[in-house]
């Protein structure tokens, strides 16, 4: 429309900057889950469960998938992930995290809660290629009829038909989870045919039926429609583009008035005024006519007030959109400041506006972690080894559901107790009973834990200010205190550095040579002493009797 009017269309996308900043903040806030025991006897097992949950998250690239959900959460208004189990080629059970784009999800329209916990049904739209569909449902493909003429294109992957894509030979499959008689059920169907159905195989901590599809919404309006933070930015963004284009058009345009015939061509005059070096010629006769009526023959009307008004409204529109989501204080655009406490105070104030959004993401993430643990507890029955890479020097392996033999159990006991039990049982070396299974280590089905995670924004903290204050004291502060106060060091790094500091110092090469020389001299002296004692004993054989 602006091009049609001859106005320069100026589009400055400030919405993308705001959304990308919030997505970057989510990346900075990524943390790992941690399991805490509910009972004292599960103290040691909780660490193994922490490693198992982190193993699943790393294998399924949960950080990347959470960012996809958060993108839909901010822009379209809602997103979701599904935590299910799947049997691999080796016959083992893997925990899978499936993420569906927002336009593949549907839900109970009467649901009002942000976490969809009051929804009677939730589901996802799947598009399956002919090869995959025939592998899972070999008897259904021949009966699928091509459907045409449907205008709804909300859930399609841009095919022409809603139920069947003839060009790529794909069929639309609906997976729905619905609640019936306090039990969750599932069903897969296509148009006109049911493919499969059953009760939900998943349960929670109390053994109650559970839906594995976890969804979260940013905001819910009075009509129960979900929307994201981006919707509030539409009007300010449109106004910014309009005001900027209008101001630029006003600067490049001139309004004039004059006596008829003052210029030969009004259009030519307009073109000249639009040029930086334009020149307008006025007819001499126009001066005589203007003198008789007492006015100028030709004049350019000043529009500075209109242009200034457009710029003022433009600045207000920019301020309005800047206050949405991440404000300037939260983004760190607060000017020079020598006080870390002042920066922290501004950023904490900026975090208040997006605290509700972060809390919803926090609850969604915690629910995913909880359901990962539920899948592990329910389906990991066989012995499983988890590789943990939290140590940069070497990886370690954690065994879950690992059988413990009698020999291993005796080896873990104090020697006196193990010997007493072996005597009581009459055990001998190589006894077959030593290979008998007597227990299971880290049996996940019997472990009871809580899943906790903490998320904090990446910003200047009071700990950083304290650390800077300690540095001013120089060598008066012990190195161990500085390591403990440094907020940039992870906890495991601090522990490793403190262990190295507590270890005895290694001698230098010259000191090692001196120590080796002293040990050789001592050894030589001891050898001479032993030789003299032997000679004395041979000379006086009865001397040792007194």
């Amino acid at each position: 429309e602006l091009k049609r009017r001859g106005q320069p269309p100026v589009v400055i996308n400030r919405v993308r900057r705001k959304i990308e900043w919030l997505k970057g903040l989510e990346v900075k806030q990524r943390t790992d889950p941690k399991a805490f025991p509910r009972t004292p006897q599960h103290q040691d097992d909780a660490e193994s469960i922490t490693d198992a949950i982190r193993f699943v998250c790393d294998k399924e690239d949960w950080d990347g998938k959470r960012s996809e959900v958060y993108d839909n959460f901010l822009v379209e208004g809602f997103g979701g992930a599904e935590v299910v189990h799947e049997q691999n080629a080796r016959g083992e059970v893997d925990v899978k995290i499936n993420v569906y784009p927002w336009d593949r999800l549907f839900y109970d329209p009467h649901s009002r809660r942000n976490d969809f916990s009051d929804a009677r049904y939730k589901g996802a739209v799947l598009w399956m290629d002919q090869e995959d569909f025939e592998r899972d449902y070999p008897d259904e493909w021949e009966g699928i009829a091509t459907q045409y003429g449907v205008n709804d294109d909300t859930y399609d992957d841009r095919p022409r038909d809603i139920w069947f894509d003839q060009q790529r030979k794909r069929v639309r499959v609906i997976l729905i989870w619905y609640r019936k008689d306090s039990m969750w059920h599932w069903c897969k169907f296509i148009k006109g045919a049911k493919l499969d159905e059953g009760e939900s195989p998943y349960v929670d901590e109390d053994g109650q039926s559970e839906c594995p599809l976890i969804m979260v919404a940013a905001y819910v309006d009075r009509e129960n429609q979900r929307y994201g933070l981006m919707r509030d930015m539409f009007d300010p963004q449109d106004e910014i583009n309009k005001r900027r284009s209008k101001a630029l058009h006003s600067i490049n345009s001139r309004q004039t008035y004059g006596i008829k015939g003052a210029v030969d061509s009004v259009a030519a005059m307009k073109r000249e005024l639009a040029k930086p070096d334009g020149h307008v010629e006025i007819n001499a006769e126009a001066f005589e006519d203007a003198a008789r009526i007492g006015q100028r023959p030709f004049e350019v009307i000043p529009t500075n007030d209109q242009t200034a008004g457009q710029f003022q409204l433009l600045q207000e529109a920019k301020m309005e959109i800047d206050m949405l989501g991440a404000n300037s204080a939260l983004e760190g655009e607060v000017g020079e400041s020598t006080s870390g406490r002042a920066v922290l105070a501004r950023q904490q104030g900026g975090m208040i506006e997006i605290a509700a959004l972060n809390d919803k993401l926090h609850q969604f993430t915690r629910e995913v972690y909880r359901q990962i643990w539920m899948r592990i507890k329910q389906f990991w029955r066989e012995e499983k080894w988890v590789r943990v890479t939290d140590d940069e020097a070497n990886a370690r392996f954690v065994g879950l559901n690992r059988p413990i033999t009698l020999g291993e159990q005796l080896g873990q006991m104090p020697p006196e107790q193990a010997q007493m039990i072996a005597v009581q049982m009459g055990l001998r070396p190589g006894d077959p009973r030593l290979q008998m299974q007597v227990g299971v280590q880290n049996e996940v089905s019997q472990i009871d834990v809580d899943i906790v995670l903490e998320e904090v924004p990446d910003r200047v903290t009071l700990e950083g200010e304290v650390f800077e204050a300690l540095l001013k004291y120089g060598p008066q502060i012990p190195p161990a205190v500085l390591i403990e106060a440094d907020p940039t060091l992870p906890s495991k790094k601090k522990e490793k550095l403190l262990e190295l500091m507590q270890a005895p110092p290694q001698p230098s090469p010259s000191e090692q040579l001196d120590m080796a020389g002293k040990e050789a001299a001592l050894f030589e002296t001891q050898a001479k002493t032993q030789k003299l004692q032997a000679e004395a004993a041979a000379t006086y054989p009865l001397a040792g009797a007194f």
Side-chain angles (χ1 to χ4, degrees):
E1 177 64 20
L2 292 178
K3 289 182 178 180
R4 187 188 65 81
R5 297 178 184 176
Q7 297 179 222
V10 180
V11 179
I12 301 175
N13 193 342
R14 300 176 72 93
V15 172
R16 172 176 292 181
R17 176 187 173 187
K18 306 289 288 187
I19 297 299
E20 292 296 332
W21 194 95
L22 291 173
K23 290 166 61 178
L25 180 64
E26 181 270 331
V27 173
K28 290 291 186 180
Q29 288 181 330
R30 290 175 181 173
T31 57
D32 292 326
K34 185 172 180 61
F36 290 91
R38 289 182 177 174
T39 57
Q41 58 266 30
H42 295 147
Q43 182 71 37
D44 297 334
D45 298 331
E47 190 67 27
S48 302
I49 298 306
T50 298
D51 295 333
I53 297 175
R54 293 180 181 180
F55 169 78
V56 172
C57 292
D58 292 341
K59 186 177 179 181
E60 292 296 308
D61 187 25
W62 164 241
D63 287 339
K65 292 180 178 179
R66 191 180 89 146
S67 296
E68 293 181 25
V69 175
Y70 192 56
D71 190 355
N72 295 153
F73 177 80
L74 293 174
V75 179
E76 288 83 12
F78 69 96
E82 185 183 55
V83 183
V84 295
H85 76 291
E86 183 180 278
Q87 193 171 27
N88 58 28
R90 298 186 301 273
E92 301 174 347
V93 176
D94 291 335
V95 178
K96 306 292 292 184
I97 304 177
N98 300 321
V99 172
Y100 299 103
W102 72 276
D103 56 353
R104 301 291 186 89
L105 295 171
F106 61 92
Y107 52 88
D108 182 0
H110 299 287
S111 172
R112 292 191 56 84
R113 295 183 181 176
N114 294 93
D115 59 355
F116 297 86
S117 58
D118 57 341
R120 298 289 300 178
Y121 64 85
K122 296 181 286 186
V125 176
L126 313 176
W127 279 96
M128 298 182 65
D129 292 328
Q130 179 178 357
E131 180 180 354
D132 298 331
F133 187 86
E134 287 184 324
R135 182 192 62 231
D136 296 340
Y137 310 101
D139 300 331
E140 297 291 342
W141 182 263
E142 295 298 330
I144 295 177
T146 304
Q147 303 294 328
Y148 293 100
V150 182
N151 296 325
D152 186 2
D153 62 349
T154 302
Y155 300 107
D156 64 355
D157 193 17
R158 306 306 178 257
R160 295 183 179 179
D161 311 305
I162 189 172
W163 287 100
F164 187 76
D165 180 11
Q166 189 171 13
Q167 183 176 2
R168 286 190 52 182
K169 299 296 182 183
R170 296 186 306 167
V171 62
R172 179 190 178 194
V173 179
I174 306 299
L175 170 62
I176 184 172
W177 297 87
Y178 62 96
R179 189 163 46 192
K180 179 181 178 182
D181 299 331
S182 72
M183 294 284 294
W184 280 96
H185 299 70
W186 64 275
C187 180
K188 276 187 178 182
F189 62 91
I190 58 177
K191 187 174 183 180
K194 184 187 297 182
L195 301 176
D196 205 355
E197 64 178 341
E199 291 185 0
S200 172
Y202 307 117
V203 295
D204 60 12
E205 298 91 335
D206 301 324
Q208 300 297 321
S209 180
E210 188 170 51
C211 175
L213 182 57
I214 310 164
M215 297 172 59
V216 62
Y219 303 107
V220 184
D221 62 17
R222 295 176 66 89
E223 285 74 31
N224 295 347
Q225 297 295 324
R226 267 64 178 176
Y227 66 95
L229 182 65
M230 185 173 177
R231 192 178 81 171
D232 297 335
M233 301 182 185
F234 284 162
D235 290 341
Q237 176 67 74
D238 289 343
E239 184 178 4
I240 289 173
N241 295 337
K242 176 180 175 58
R243 300 297 179 191
R244 187 71 175 265
S245 299
K246 188 68 174 178
L248 182 60
H249 184 59
S250 299
I251 293 174
N252 294 333
S253 303
R254 296 289 187 274
Q255 294 180 353
T256 62
Y257 74 91
I259 298 176
K260 186 174 181 180
V263 294
D264 294 335
S265 173
V266 175
M269 177 267 295
K270 292 289 186 181
R271 288 193 297 268
E272 289 296 324
L273 288 178
K275 298 178 182 179
D277 58 346
H279 173 69
V280 179
E281 293 185 353
I282 303 175
N283 296 327
E285 294 80 3
F287 282 95
E288 299 177 359
D289 297 336
R292 285 196 301 268
I293 60 177
Q295 68 177 24
R296 295 176 180 269
F298 178 81
E299 185 72 26
V300 176
I301 302 175
T303 57
N304 297 337
D305 56 339
Q306 298 181 9
T307 304
Q310 294 292 344
F311 272 110
Q312 184 178 359
L313 293 174
L314 174 63
Q315 295 302 320
E316 291 184 2
K318 288 182 177 180
M319 291 175 58
E320 180 67 26
I321 199 171
D322 286 342
M323 292 303 296
L324 292 173
N327 55 36
S328 58
L330 185 58
E331 293 177 354
E333 300 175 359
V334 292
E336 297 294 332
S337 177
T338 57
S339 172
R341 188 181 298 272
V343 175
L344 174 62
R346 294 191 186 101
Q347 291 182 327
Q348 284 181 336
M351 284 295 296
I352 294 176
E353 186 174 353
I354 64 172
L357 289 177
N358 283 345
D359 184 65
K360 293 169 186 175
L361 178 65
H362 179 99
Q363 296 299 329
F364 168 77
T365 306
R366 184 176 178 273
E367 178 64 18
V368 171
Y369 289 149
R370 187 192 66 81
Q371 291 219 23
I372 291 175
W373 162 232
M374 289 296 100
R375 303 296 99 84
I376 292 174
K377 186 174 182 179
Q378 186 177 357
F379 294 101
W380 281 12
R381 291 288 183 263
E382 70 282 354
E383 181 180 2
K384 194 176 187 66
W385 288 89
V386 175
R387 183 174 183 266
V388 183
T389 58
D390 55 355
D391 189 354
E392 295 181 359
N394 52 4
R396 59 187 176 91
F397 291 87
V398 177
L400 302 175
N401 297 323
R402 189 172 74 87
I404 301 297
T405 63
L406 178 60
E408 291 177 336
Q409 190 180 55
L410 292 176
Q412 297 173 359
M413 296 180 180
E416 297 81 3
Q417 183 181 0
Q419 184 177 4
M420 182 180 64
I421 295 177
V423 171
Q424 293 176 353
M425 297 182 63
L427 298 175
R428 296 289 185 271
D431 195 315
R433 289 177 294 174
L434 294 174
Q435 304 301 322
M436 178 177 60
Q437 180 178 343
V438 295
V440 178
Q441 184 182 22
N442 295 331
E443 186 176 5
V444 297
S445 62
Q446 303 300 322
I447 300 176
D448 196 10
V449 297
D450 286 320
I451 309 300
V452 177
L453 71 158
E454 294 181 356
E455 294 179 314
V456 293
D458 183 27
R459 61 180 186 269
V460 180
T461 61
L462 290 177
E463 287 81 2
E465 186 177 356
V466 172
F467 178 69
E468 293 178 0
L470 290 176
L471 290 177
K472 297 179 181 179
Y473 290 93
Q476 300 179 13
I477 302 299
V481 176
L482 295 178
I483 292 175
E484 189 65 31
D486 190 351
T488 62
L489 287 177
S491 299
K492 294 183 178 180
K493 284 289 186 182
K494 290 182 180 180
E495 295 175 1
K496 186 179 295 184
L497 291 175
L498 293 175
E499 289 177 1
L500 293 176
M501 292 185 62
Q502 296 173 359
Q506 297 294 330
S508 63
S510 59
E511 293 175 343
Q512 292 179 1
L513 291 176
D514 293 341
M515 294 175 59
K518 293 178 181 180
E519 290 178 357
L522 179 61
F523 179 76
E524 184 179 358
T525 302
Q526 292 176 349
K528 289 180 179 180
T529 303
Q530 293 176 359
K531 182 179 179 181
L532 293 174
Q533 291 176 352
E535 292 175 354
T539 304
Y540 306 101
L542 299 179
F546 302 97

